[in-house]
Amino acid sequence: MSTEEKSLHFIEQIIEESLTNGFPKDKLRFRFPPEPNGYLHIGHAKSICLNFGLGLKYNAPVNLRFDDTNPAKEEQEYVDAIKEDLRWLGFKWNEELYSSDYFQQLYDWAVAMIKNSKAYVDSQSSEDIAIQKGSPTQPGVDGPYRNRSVEENLKLFDAMKNGDYPEGSHVLRAKIDMKSTNMLMRDPLMYRILHRHHHRTGNDWNIYPMYDYAHGESDYVEQISHSICTLEFVMHRELYNWFLDQIYDHDKVRPHQYEFARLNLNYTVMSKRKLLQLVQENIVNGWDDPRMPTISGLRRRGYTAASIRKFCDIIGVAKRENVIDYSLLEFCLREDLNKTAPRVMAVLDPVKLIITNYPEDTEEWLEAENNQEDFSAGFRKVPFSKELYIEREDFLEEAPSKFFRLSIGREVRLKNAYIIKGESVVKDAAGNISEIHVTYDVDSKSGSGSDASQRKVAGTLHWVCVQHALEVEVRLYDRLFSDEAPDSHKEKSFLDFVNPDSLEIIKGFVEPSLANVQAGEKFQFQRLGYFNVDFDSSSEKIVFNKTVGLKDAWEEKGKKEENLLMNTQKEINKYVKEKDEDNVVSILNTIIGNIKSIDNYSLLTQTIVKNIKNDNNALLFSNLIILHSDKITVNDIDEDSLTKLYSMSLKSQLAAVRLLTIENLQNDVDNFALFKTQLTELKMNEKNEKVYKLLNDLKI
């Protein structure tokens, strides 16, 4: 196998094998088949890049086909949004097609199947059909209408089409095998009655084909050679092929279905149903909210099409499911924006800085580089004067040795300008700093070539000239969910993990070069991150969205929390060994404070379970987390683990463990009853006064 062949992903290998075995290259045809029942998300981008990428590689047509078989959930709005997303990603489709284009053909094939005794009208309720189909371990049984005559089936199906029956009264089912090990083959539904207005066919139809029936047959009509879908459709392949068997003409191309692993991204949800719920419950401001994983949301936030295509290329095409870290998507974005985004200065939490020895009523226009990664980007002029804004966090009155920003008596450089030295501050009535007074070195101007200009100082600060500053609205977006797998916890709703700090709206100041920005333009606010002009902007009010920070703040936070928990366990050891009562209280307060500061739900629950072992300190740690964390409750720990924790802890030789366990059981009504006998026995033998008193207060 050549080096080039080894680099092919498995779908490309399948296509190469097809061509080697004689399949005509000019018959290759692909499609991207979205259902217009929601906006596309980043998971769809992987499928889009795969299908259209194959089209480009093999110079083969790729159709955009809308599988619009459910008018109850589909809207023209979604069709338009999907087309806009595809264009923005940079792909062109060969034909724009719809499953609804084939409604008559699908109906005719269904009639032929009835005539061939391969389909029948079932008049059972959906509940009865579900019971009759059995379970994965129990075969289904024939329903009471399975052996209706062809004539009766044809008559009923025609009446269904004409709108003579209410929704739910009849369905058309394929007649396959009620004992099949694949439950999808147990006489699946082909048509249901829906008296709904269709966005394209209006009220022409009263029956609509099911996805499993329409999808493969539509592929056949379009002569799709390789029908590519995600792994959840593996079990559907047998049904896909069965439906094709009923209509296949050997003179035509027969589509074949192949499955690849869908994109799973942490810290978000990929279900259209759940994304719709976020929209409907006003948790976000529409499908294009910049916190959403939708392509339109990512676009509005400031993502580039190139970064999404690069992301899809890096994660590749595989057969095995895995979870991709959100930080990889952000990395691809930073790489792209670093090359293309102009650098500008903005201050988002301003405090006034006054250069006391700078001449009054003097103003300079300094030269600033637009992008050091792109020499062709050139330079711009920024105004400089006596009064500036800097970030409040860039100044400390009394700073530690490793604080490389401005403080009293220390020097820093103002970007593209001069070296300044902190002299004094002015405070308001509440004690907050309202002004910072500094002096500047007149000979230290950046780029002047003087000895003073080449002096090395601790840090460089960005700034904005007060006189020329533009006030703007800045929307600071963060991840929508605080947990890495928000929809994976059985006892919790994914909505429980919505990050309350996912959006903060503030006022900031930017340099005057941004006065005429247009929606969609992207910039790097120096030292702050990448920002994008929102389409809510107007000539009266400019609005910026924070796209992504310069560093992965979530990775840093995650590492900090992991390290904090590790260090807290060391504090547990100190706590247990400490004899001085005052020190015991101090150490315990530190432990509790650390536990309360941890936001990562999964990290906390995993830490609890990991510490359920024959180790007194470990048991103490688990009980402390349950008692003091406000991010989890006992209901978040699986029943077996929790029972094991309580049982082992009540037997612990360490009184502090027993004491905490009793407190936790007090708050856990369900388990308290289960452990009443063990608590009674413990009371009879308990020698520690505090534990005995607590047990006695429980009146066991």
Side-chain angles (χ1 to χ4, degrees), residues 572-573 575-576 611-624 645 648-658 660-661:
I572 293 281
N573 297 333
Y575 171 74
V576 171
N611 281 279
I612 301 173
K613 53 189 177 182
N614 286 313
D615 179 292
N616 288 322
N617 292 3
L619 293 171
L620 182 65
F621 193 31
S622 285
N623 277 286
L624 279 167
L645 173 63
M648 293 175 72
S649 298
L650 288 173
K651 296 173 186 175
S652 172
Q653 296 174 338
L654 199 63
V657 176
R658 301 195 299 276
L660 282 169
T661 308

Side-chain angles (χ1 to χ4, degrees), residues 609 612 634 637-648 671 675:
V609 173
I612 301 173
V634 289
I637 312 301
D638 71 87
E639 192 175 335
D640 289 343
S641 296
L642 189 62
T643 300
K644 187 177 178 182
L645 173 63
Y646 284 148
S647 182
M648 293 175 72
N671 279 300
F675 282 88

Side-chain angles (χ1 to χ4, degrees), residues 156-331:
L156 285 167
F157 192 47
D158 184 60
M160 288 166 60
K161 174 179 175 289
N162 293 334
D164 295 345
Y165 298 114
E167 293 183 9
S169 57
H170 304 288
V171 292
L172 183 71
R173 295 176 69 179
K175 195 173 188 178
I176 309 179
D177 180 4
M178 290 303 296
K179 294 180 173 55
S180 173
T181 54
N182 182 351
M183 287 193 66
L184 294 171
M185 299 298 287
R186 296 180 187 176
D187 292 8
L189 270 61
M190 291 175 61
Y191 274 89
R192 75 286 208 199
I193 299 170
L194 285 175
H195 299 303
R196 307 292 177 94
H197 181 86
H198 190 278
H199 70 101
R200 292 189 73 247
T201 62
N203 299 316
D204 292 349
W205 292 86
N206 295 294
I207 55 171
Y208 290 91
M210 300 299 292
Y211 178 87
D212 273 334
Y213 171 55
H215 182 73
E217 312 298 77
S218 297
D219 283 345
Y220 181 64
V221 173
E222 296 172 19
Q223 290 291 273
I224 302 302
S225 58
H226 295 73
S227 176
I228 302 165
C229 56
T230 47
L231 280 178
E232 64 263 37
F233 289 97
V234 167
M235 295 299 290
H236 295 249
R237 193 197 311 156
E238 185 179 2
L239 181 56
Y240 180 97
N241 289 330
W242 187 90
F243 279 130
L244 285 177
D245 287 341
Q246 313 312 312
I247 61 171
Y248 177 54
D249 180 338
H250 289 272
D251 293 332
K252 293 186 176 182
V253 171
R254 180 184 175 116
H256 289 275
Q257 177 178 304
Y258 303 97
E259 306 87 13
F260 70 99
R262 66 185 298 173
L263 171 60
N264 297 302
L265 197 64
N266 63 3
Y267 289 101
T268 191
V269 294
M270 292 295 199
S271 159
K272 275 189 192 175
R273 178 180 59 80
K274 290 175 181 175
L275 294 176
L276 178 61
Q277 189 176 346
L278 291 170
V279 174
Q280 291 178 332
E281 295 186 19
N282 297 317
I283 293 165
V284 296
N285 300 313
W287 285 95
D288 66 345
D289 187 298
R291 293 165 292 180
M292 290 279 271
T294 53
I295 294 174
S296 57
L298 293 169
R299 178 168 64 244
R300 186 173 180 184
R301 183 154 177 168
Y303 274 76
T304 63
S307 67
I308 292 176
R309 293 196 303 267
K310 179 67 174 178
F311 171 70
C312 293
D313 182 53
I314 289 175
I315 62 177
V317 179
K319 294 182 181 180
R320 183 176 297 178
E321 296 276 9
N322 63 340
V323 179
I324 305 298
D325 198 310
Y326 202 98
S327 61
L328 178 59
L329 177 61
E330 293 177 329
F331 168 79

Side-chain angles (χ1 to χ4, degrees), residues 57 93 119 139 216 268 310-311 333 367 385 456 463 513 584 614:
K57 179 180 177 68
W93 53 89
T268 191
K310 179 67 174 178
F311 171 70
L333 177 62
E367 195 168 71
S385 61
K456 301 295 182 184
W463 50 273
S513 68
V584 167
N614 286 313

Side-chain angles (χ1 to χ4, degrees), residues 344-345 380-382 464 468 470 509-515:
V344 296
M345 290 193 288
R380 70 191 186 284
K381 295 290 187 179
V382 291
V464 175
H468 294 276
L470 299 175
F509 294 99
V510 299
E511 62 178 70
S513 68
L514 299 177

Side-chain angles (χ1 to χ4, degrees), residues 345 358 362-368 379-385 415-418 445-446 463 465 467-470 510-515:
M345 290 193 288
Y358 193 86
T362 298
E363 183 176 279
E364 297 178 70
W365 285 81
L366 306 176
E367 195 168 71
F379 294 82
R380 70 191 186 284
K381 295 290 187 179
V382 291
F384 183 86
S385 61
K415 180 75 174 172
N416 304 120
Y418 298 92
K445 186 176 180 180
S446 293
W463 50 273
C465 174
Q467 183 181 348
H468 294 276
L470 299 175
V510 299
E511 62 178 70
S513 68
L514 299 177

Side-chain angles (χ1 to χ4, degrees), residues 471 537-542:
E471 185 176 293
S537 292
S538 65
S539 56
E540 291 77 31
K541 183 180 78 170
I542 301 172

Side-chain angles (χ1 to χ4, degrees), residues 659-673:
L659 198 67
L660 282 169
T661 308
I662 297 166
E663 288 186 64
N664 280 327
L665 278 166
Q666 278 184 286
N667 300 326
D668 185 357
V669 178
D670 294 335
N671 279 300
F672 184 86

